């Protein structure tokens, strides 16, 4: 993560607004910087490595269709990435969008019907 120092701006000055200062203190308590790598702390999770840029797309494609992939849905793919120890702020939404873009997933997805517009086939009355 050589580029981590370029994108992570460590400025020791607090914002002038006291509410922004409080919000920054709360949000920053969830993260830890160690050896030029940013990690996110979790309550029951181990430290998750924060990734960004092209690494995000590589991890998503590897989990979705790579060796460990079984063409998972968006949320399942996001939780598998989290179990692997990676994190980025828009993890779930990115994974949902990635699985919606996958041609193979959309081709083999089950067809859904709108229950309101469904009507049983017409059967003529029989006269006895």
């Amino acid at each position: 993560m050589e580029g981590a120092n370029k994108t992570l701006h460590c400025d020791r000055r607090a914002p002038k607004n006291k509410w922004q200062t409080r919000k920054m203190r709360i949000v920053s308590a969830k993260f830890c910087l160690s050896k030029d790598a940013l990690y996110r702390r979790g309550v029951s999770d181990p430290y998750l490595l924060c990734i960004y840029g092209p690494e995000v797309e590589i991890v998503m494609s590897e989990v979705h269709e790579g060796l460990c992939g079984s063409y998972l849905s968006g949320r399942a793919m996001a939780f598998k990435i989290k179990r692997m120890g990676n994190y980025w702020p828009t993890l779930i939404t990115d994974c949902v969008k990635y699985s919606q873009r996958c041609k193979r997933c959309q081709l083999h997805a089950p067809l859904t019907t709108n229950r309101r517009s469904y009507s049983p086939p017409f059967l003529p009355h029989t006269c006895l």
Side-chain angles (χ1 to χ4, degrees):
M1 300 224 7
E2 305 92 29
N5 291 334
K6 293 178 185 173
T7 60
L8 181 64
H9 189 300
C10 296
D11 192 8
R12 299 270 179 193
R13 290 179 289 153
K16 295 183 181 186
N17 186 347
K18 71 175 186 175
W19 295 109
Q20 288 178 346
T21 305
R22 180 180 173 167
K23 183 178 179 181
M24 183 184 292
R25 191 177 307 137
I26 290 169
V27 171
S28 65
K30 297 177 185 175
F31 293 92
C32 173
L33 187 63
S34 174
K35 296 181 184 174
D36 290 337
L38 185 64
Y39 293 94
R40 184 178 193 273
R41 295 180 184 148
V43 177
S44 62
D45 299 332
Y47 283 175
L48 302 173
L49 176 66
C50 294
I51 59 175
Y52 62 95
E55 294 177 44
V56 170
E57 195 72 27
I58 293 169
V59 168
M60 280 195 300
S61 66
E62 190 64 36
V63 169
H64 188 68
E65 56 202 35
L67 294 174
C68 59
S70 57
Y71 291 95
L72 299 170
S73 67
R75 290 182 63 88
M77 184 168 61
F79 291 121
K80 191 166 196 173
I81 290 171
K82 231 176 155 179
R83 280 195 308 266
M84 288 173 53
N86 295 314
Y87 175 80
W88 62 92
T90 57
L91 175 67
I92 294 176
T93 56
D94 289 346
C95 289
V96 168
K97 288 178 184 176
Y98 187 88
S99 65
Q100 288 174 350
R101 286 190 324 246
C102 180
K103 298 265 185 207
R104 292 183 73 182
C105 289
Q106 299 308 313
L107 182 67
H108 298 294
L111 296 175
T112 58
T113 59
N114 189 352
R115 297 264 179 205
R116 292 182 195 166
S117 66
Y118 176 75
S119 60
F122 176 73
L123 298 174
H125 296 287
T126 57
C127 297
L128 293 175

